[in-house]
Amino acid sequence: MIAKATRRVLTAMVVFGAAAPAQADTLSFYGTPGLIDMPNAYVLEDGEIALTTAGFGDTLRNTFTFQLTPRLQGSFRYSYIKGFNFGRTDIYDRSFDVSYQVIRESNLWPAVSVGLRDFGGTGIYSSEYVVATKALTPQITVTGGLGWGRLAGRNGFGSPFAGISDRFEVRPDVNEGGISTTGQVDLGAWFRGDVAPFAGVSWAVNDKLTLLAEYSPDLYTQEESRGLRAVSSPLNFGAQYKFDNGVTLGAYSVYGNDLGLTLSYVFNPADPPVPGGRGNAPAALVARGSVDVTSSRDLRSALSRQGLTLENFAVQGDTARLRVVTTRYGAAAQALGRAARALANRVDPSVESFEITFVTFGMPVTTVTLNRSDLEELEFSPDNSWQSYTRARIEDAGAMDRSGELAGLYPGDNLGWGTYFTPSLFDPDDPFRFETGVKVFGSYAPRPGVVLSGEIRQPIYSTISNATRQSNSVLPRVRSESVRYFADENTKLSYLTGEYFSRPRDDVFARVTVGYLEQMFGGVSGEVLWYPIDSRWALGAEANYARQRDFDGGFGFQEYDVWTGHASAYYDFGNGFYGQLDAGRYLAGDWGATVTLDREFNNGVKVGAFFTLTDVSFEEFGEGSFDKGIRVSVPVSWFTGQPSQRNLTQVIRPILRDGGARLNVRNRLYGVTRDLRGAELSDSWGVFWR
Amino acid sequence: MMRIATIFAVLMLAGCGGLSLQGSAPAPNPDFAALAQQGAPRLQVGVLSQGAGTQVVRQTVRDGFETYVSADGASLTLDRGVLVASRGLGGDMMGSDVAQSQVLIFARRAGQVNRFHTFIDGENRAERRAYVCDVAVRGARDVPFGDVSVATTLIAEDCASQTQQFLNLYWLDRSGRIVQSRQWAGDFSGVLTFRIVP
């Protein structure tokens, strides 16, 4: 009876919880939580990504919004305004927004957010706002706010901060310096000048349909002064409908004279279609007494069915040692669980201890020691993930060692082919260009840690070759002429290198790469990484001599050469946040540092942002002022539920120029070792038994 | 009774597909055909929400844990007929403690017990859940297996946690073997139906 009563209370709590303040269900034309053209104070769920396309009048906005933390949100927007230059030409505009929810909604208080719109870029959308939103009922919310910049159009009044300082009274023209100042953070203009109020109301008729109405002070002054249609009413109305597949479609009456449409999709990287993936169950442990003791050859084929390449195998007393390369599972912990069970079902019942070492590029990275009887005890036990983790010993794998190496592995070779797709984004003449074709790659490893490899590409179809825009860079043109590498459709050498990987001492990894390092540079690259097994820190240093390759993608070189290199610090903040700081000399000979912050989900989805500041002045750098961008990487397995180490990765830079450019050496040490080190093993240990 | 009728409808509809719920097709399990040919014990398994089902064959028995594999590469582990783990269904039940439930079920006795499950989430984390369950004896039921009718006792186990609720049903024959059941496999897969293939 007590349980029944408890359950009723719990059920009531769940129901009550569902009726708690509504969260952002609607996205504005700017692709951020809001009404129609106005923001509201709501946020997305932590980690969610919203993709929005909005069109009205002569404007089209495409926005990527990421809820970085429960309160902090960032957006990247690519907009198109038709006839923005007095009808003569169109404009493509890139803008970044951030907003922060200062106060969470409660029974008493509204949610309050502060936002910066287009805080760099060309400043077309430059504005700031403070906004409050309160749900009056679970269905109806009201929003009111104050806007600066372009939001201070209709009924603007003087700066509320004028009392603090005169400088708040006037908003400087962020475009004063012309195109060369774009991309600078417009610190000096934020929250300056007049402000104007905005307001709106939303009514969720049911789970799918929401009606919206708002008052917008935005007069589209800049658009109007350039010959586009004027705003004839401050009132916007519309409706959004959410389909079962998660896509939301909106239709609106905009500024009294236009029809507007939005299409948006919100998803959470933490929720893949199939949690933990589908199929590919591991073979369960057999009773130890009925283990069919087999040779290492059978073990090898059993492991290879799990995407694990067995390199070394030895049994000594009650310990079995094996070294494996994992090629299928994104999470090393899952590969480890597979290796352990394959081993338990095949080695002599007297063996009690398993030492499993992950190897990459010939370097032993991490050794995990497991007790066979723990595996047997925990396979289906209720707390098997945590208990198996606490009973495992995770250590640095130490020096390279060829004892127990399987015959026929070295020298080894590998030949393959595939297709490729290279996008080239944001050229104002054509913002989406690409090249696609066929690639052939091969490698030869005479001994562990030594790899000779190369790749050639044959373009089949390219629109990048249509690019006619000339670089106007005053720096050595190390990246700004990148489209010239796509100018013809001849066969090109992507890379051709000799690599040597080694383990000079405990917790230290080393790499030397010689040859045609990347599409645009060849030379020599050396790197050392210190990465303690259980550390949040890793420190690295890299030195390179690089010479610019010919545009034709052949074996030739150009005149330009440079010594470049960085000292790097990598830090795992926990909760999926990773930071990286690289300081040193860049390809154009400029000195500076790159800051990168990634939020990474345990299933492998990564969303990050980076910027580089060097001794190249904003003026010398040119459009964009400094190098910056975002990157998004999603494992193929996220979509398919099938194990795979392939990722779909896209780096989005508003513009690629010559300042702050780094060499793209393949197989940098942190990237190739991190997923096999202690912290990553621990983060994904939940799939050890999967 | 309506619910039980649904289960039978599901069992009747059972085809020879897999346990796939969604997403692209996983690799087939190469051992499945061999085990089926060797005459390994089989279970008819249905996914209630999909109205689909398949047969699974037993691959291993260890310490009372019986692991059955499906043609499409998923596996289900039962301890004396009670589901304790799945692999490859999606949102898998990674491990369980159902000992208290088993005591009452096999004693055909009513009472209250705790059961524990761990599920994998979308971020590769193992989430532990504890449930309070009321076990009740629903009485005698005749279950048809082809031409024969098997006399069974129907036991119901009604479980809830803070956020989840499910009802498991077990049909025990005279020897105390679970010949048919419906059991919850987690939020992602929902309810599975099991039936011994004679």
Side-chain angles (χ1 to χ4, degrees):
Chain A
M1 269 346 262
I2 294 171
K4 277 261 157 65
T6 315
R7 196 177 303 161
R8 223 165 280 134
V9 171
L10 290 174
T11 312
M13 282 170 68
V14 171
V15 171
F16 182 75
Q23 276 304 301
D25 283 321
T26 57
L27 296 164
S28 74
F29 284 158
Y30 286 98
T32 59
L35 297 152
I36 300 168
D37 209 19
M38 296 295 108
N40 67 21
Y42 286 154
V43 289
L44 299 170
E45 262 181 57
D46 184 33
E48 272 187 340
I49 290 173
L51 306 171
T52 307
T53 292
F56 62 98
D58 299 306
T59 299
L60 182 72
R61 295 178 193 147
N62 300 294
T63 310
F64 169 94
T65 295
F66 179 53
Q67 192 68 41
L68 205 65
T69 73
R71 291 167 184 260
L72 182 67
Q73 175 183 290
S75 302
F76 172 70
R77 184 175 308 104
Y78 194 59
S79 314
Y80 166 76
I81 306 174
K82 197 175 172 210
F84 190 70
N85 292 321
F86 304 94
R88 287 192 301 272
T89 53
D90 310 332
I91 187 172
Y92 294 96
D93 181 65
R94 292 150 290 218
S95 50
F96 290 98
D97 300 352
V98 288
S99 77
Y100 187 79
Q101 193 177 51
V102 186
I103 300 174
R104 284 176 202 242
E105 188 173 12
S106 62
N107 287 336
L108 201 60
W109 285 95
V112 176
S113 289
V114 178
L116 302 173
R117 185 147 279 161
D118 192 4
F119 61 87
T122 46
I124 291 178
Y125 292 128
S126 167
S127 54
E128 302 81 45
Y129 56 85
V130 177
V131 61
T133 302
K134 180 88 184 77
L136 299 181
T137 74
Q139 287 78 38
I140 296 173
T141 67
V142 290
T143 295
L146 288 175
W148 284 258
R150 72 174 286 148
L151 286 173
R154 197 182 294 266
N155 294 329
F157 49 85
S159 168
F161 303 133
I164 303 170
S165 161
D166 290 347
R167 54 185 287 273
F168 279 107
E169 278 180 54
V170 183
R171 189 181 180 88
D173 181 0
V174 293
N175 262 335
E176 226 162 7
I179 193 106
S180 62
T181 65
T182 64
Q184 293 174 28
V185 173
D186 302 319
L187 265 170
W190 293 348
F191 298 104
R192 287 176 67 177
D194 286 357
V195 298
F198 60 89
V201 56
S202 79
W203 175 34
V205 180
N206 54 41
D207 284 353
K208 303 192 161 182
L209 180 69
T210 304
L211 302 181
L212 301 154
E214 70 176 16
Y215 165 87
S216 163
D218 191 339
L219 288 168
Y220 283 73
T221 314
Q222 233 186 114
E223 285 86 343
E224 192 189 344
S225 71
R226 285 162 174 269
L228 300 182
R229 183 139 31 149
V231 163
S232 58
S233 158
L235 298 178
N236 299 327
F237 306 94
Q240 292 191 1
Y241 187 85
K242 187 174 182 182
F243 293 92
D244 286 336
N245 60 11
V247 172
T248 299
L249 185 67
Y252 317 87
S253 156
V254 188
Y255 295 110
N257 51 17
D258 267 317
L259 174 72
L261 289 174
T262 59
L263 191 65
S264 58
Y265 184 66
V266 181
F267 69 99
N268 197 327
D271 296 325
V274 185
R278 225 158 43 77
N280 306 289
L285 293 174
V286 301
R288 208 188 285 202
S290 52
V291 167
D292 180 13
V293 179
T294 57
S295 68
S296 59
R297 179 190 293 257
D298 293 326
L299 180 64
R300 188 177 180 178
S301 65
L303 289 170
S304 89
R305 285 198 294 275
Q306 305 286 354
L308 291 158
T309 309
L310 182 64
E311 295 220 324
N312 307 54
F313 177 65
V315 178
Q316 197 175 28
D318 70 347
T319 303
R321 293 186 179 86
L322 72 164
R323 296 190 168 194
V324 289
V325 179
T326 169
T327 59
R328 181 179 303 161
Y329 296 104
Q334 190 170 7
L336 179 71
R338 298 299 174 114
R341 277 170 290 192
L343 194 57
N345 283 351
R346 281 169 188 82
V347 292
D348 192 273
S350 65
V351 173
E352 179 49 39
S353 176
F354 296 165
E355 285 184 25
I356 299 169
T357 300
F358 286 112
V359 178
T360 189
F361 295 100
M363 297 180 289
V365 181
T366 301
T367 299
V368 183
T369 307
L370 303 163
N371 289 323
R372 191 177 189 173
S373 47
D374 289 338
L375 297 174
E376 290 157 347
E377 180 193 335
L378 299 173
E379 188 177 17
F380 305 114
S381 76
D383 198 18
N384 51 4
S385 169
W386 173 247
Q387 289 187 22
S388 58
Y389 175 66
T390 57
R391 296 185 200 181
R393 199 167 73 230
I394 302 175
E395 297 163 301
D396 183 59
M400 293 166 110
D401 172 8
R402 297 187 68 175
S403 66
E405 187 177 294
L406 270 63
L409 275 175
Y410 295 99
D413 53 41
N414 176 38
L415 193 65
W417 69 280
T419 55
Y420 70 92
F421 178 86
T422 308
S424 166
L425 304 176
F426 308 143
D427 183 330
D429 298 331
D430 180 358
F432 184 76
R433 288 199 174 102
F434 66 94
E435 181 182 282
T436 183
V438 181
K439 61 183 179 184
V440 178
F441 46 87
S443 66
Y444 175 75
R447 45 166 297 180
V450 179
V451 187
L452 307 173
S453 58
E455 179 184 289
I456 53 172
R457 290 185 169 196
Q458 175 57 55
I460 291 173
Y461 183 77
S462 172
T463 58
I464 304 178
S465 53
N466 303 337
T468 51
R469 209 155 265 260
Q470 302 283 316
S471 170
N472 59 2
S473 182
V474 298
L475 297 168
R477 294 179 176 178
V478 293
R479 292 290 183 214
S480 61
E481 293 189 314
S482 61
V483 294
R484 294 186 65 181
Y485 288 90
F486 297 91
D488 63 51
E489 300 193 355
N490 295 335
T491 308
K492 293 176 183 70
L493 182 68
S494 311
Y495 61 85
L496 180 63
T497 54
E499 292 167 295
Y500 174 58
F501 297 90
S502 63
R503 293 294 317 265
R505 50 171 296 171
D506 284 357
D507 294 330
V508 177
F509 300 83
R511 168 186 63 82
V512 176
T513 309
V514 184
Y516 295 86
L517 302 172
E518 52 140 303
Q519 185 186 32
M520 303 178 214
F521 288 89
V524 189
S525 169
E527 186 190 1
V528 180
L529 176 73
W530 174 71
Y531 191 175
I533 182 73
D534 52 358
S535 166
R536 289 175 176 276
W537 280 104
L539 298 172
E542 180 184 287
N544 316 285
Y545 168 76
R547 194 174 176 111
Q548 194 162 18
R549 290 179 60 190
D550 274 344
F551 295 122
D552 65 7
F555 292 99
F557 285 96
Q558 304 183 37
E559 289 292 298
Y560 184 74
D561 66 344
V562 64
W563 281 94
T564 169
H566 290 82
S568 301
Y570 310 86
Y571 189 67
D572 175 355
F573 290 95
N575 294 323
F577 287 89
Y578 294 83
Q580 182 177 338
L581 178 71
D582 306 289
R585 190 169 193 235
Y586 291 82
L587 276 177
D590 45 339
W591 290 84
T594 302
V595 176
T596 308
L597 183 69
D598 276 301
R599 174 156 181 192
E600 190 170 328
F601 297 82
N602 274 343
N603 56 35
V605 177
K606 297 176 202 177
V607 180
F610 60 88
F611 68 88
T612 301
L613 294 172
T614 69
D615 58 1
V616 167
S617 69
F618 289 165
E619 199 172 25
E620 280 177 294
F621 184 93
E623 187 183 350
S625 300
F626 60 96
D627 189 61
K628 59 188 168 298
I630 57 175
R631 62 183 185 198
V632 179
S633 179
V634 184
V636 171
S637 62
W638 193 93
F639 298 101
T640 63
Q642 302 304 306
S644 163
Q645 291 188 337
R646 281 186 55 215
N647 292 293
L648 301 173
T649 302
Q650 185 62 50
V651 178
I652 297 173
R653 280 185 165 89
I655 190 159
L656 177 62
R657 291 185 72 90
D658 301 316
R662 263 190 101 178
L663 193 65
N664 290 330
V665 191
R666 289 158 38 251
N667 305 323
R668 283 196 164 110
L669 292 168
Y670 187 71
V672 300
T673 56
R674 197 200 70 170
D675 288 349
L676 304 172
R677 290 305 263 181
E680 291 304 297
L681 272 167
S682 137
D683 283 349
S684 279
W685 201 272
V687 287
F688 177 87
W689 291 108
R690 164 62 183 86
Chain B
M1 282 317 279
M2 201 50 221
R3 195 181 275 148
I4 295 162
T6 316
I7 296 168
F8 282 111
V10 167
L11 293 174
M12 291 304 138
L13 279 170
C16 34
L19 290 171
S20 311
L21 293 173
Q22 58 185 96
S24 59
N29 185 336
D31 299 333
F32 180 83
L35 289 164
Q37 219 158 31
Q38 289 158 20
R42 282 178 289 172
L43 287 177
Q44 181 72 33
V45 178
V47 182
L48 198 61
S49 63
Q50 305 285 302
T54 186
Q55 287 199 351
V56 294
V57 282
R58 196 170 76 188
Q59 185 170 38
T60 49
V61 184
R62 182 178 67 82
D63 290 348
F65 294 114
E66 297 180 275
T67 300
Y68 292 81
V69 295
S70 73
D72 63 349
S75 78
L76 297 164
T77 302
L78 299 116
D79 180 0
R80 287 184 286 158
V82 180
L83 182 69
V84 293
S86 73
R87 300 286 186 261
L89 286 188
D92 284 321
M93 180 186 284
M94 302 306 292
S96 306
D97 179 352
V98 295
Q100 295 179 27
S101 304
Q102 286 173 322
V103 168
L104 292 189
I105 293 166
F106 295 113
R108 300 169 203 236
R109 214 169 68 215
Q112 193 172 75
V113 294
N114 293 312
R115 68 154 66 206
F116 305 90
H117 294 297
T118 299
F119 296 99
I120 193 80
D121 76 0
E123 280 209 86
N124 295 346
R125 285 182 302 229
E127 295 187 325
R128 288 192 76 190
R129 296 277 179 267
Y131 304 86
V132 178
C133 304
D134 290 320
V135 176
V137 181
R138 294 252 181 114
R141 297 285 190 280
D142 286 337
V143 178
F145 276 88
D147 296 337
V148 278
S149 178
V150 176
T152 68
T153 306
L154 174 59
I155 313 278
E157 185 182 12
D158 190 1
C159 301
S161 71
Q162 286 196 9
T163 54
Q164 294 164 321
Q165 197 179 356
F166 60 91
L167 173 72
N168 285 357
L169 298 173
Y170 313 91
W171 285 260
L172 272 71
D173 71 4
R174 287 212 180 90
S175 70
R177 186 170 63 141
I178 296 174
V179 292
Q180 178 174 293
S181 64
R182 59 161 273 172
Q183 302 186 50
W184 185 72
D187 276 337
F188 187 79
S189 302
V191 173
L192 304 183
T193 59
F194 297 86
R195 193 172 152 95
I196 285 175
V197 176

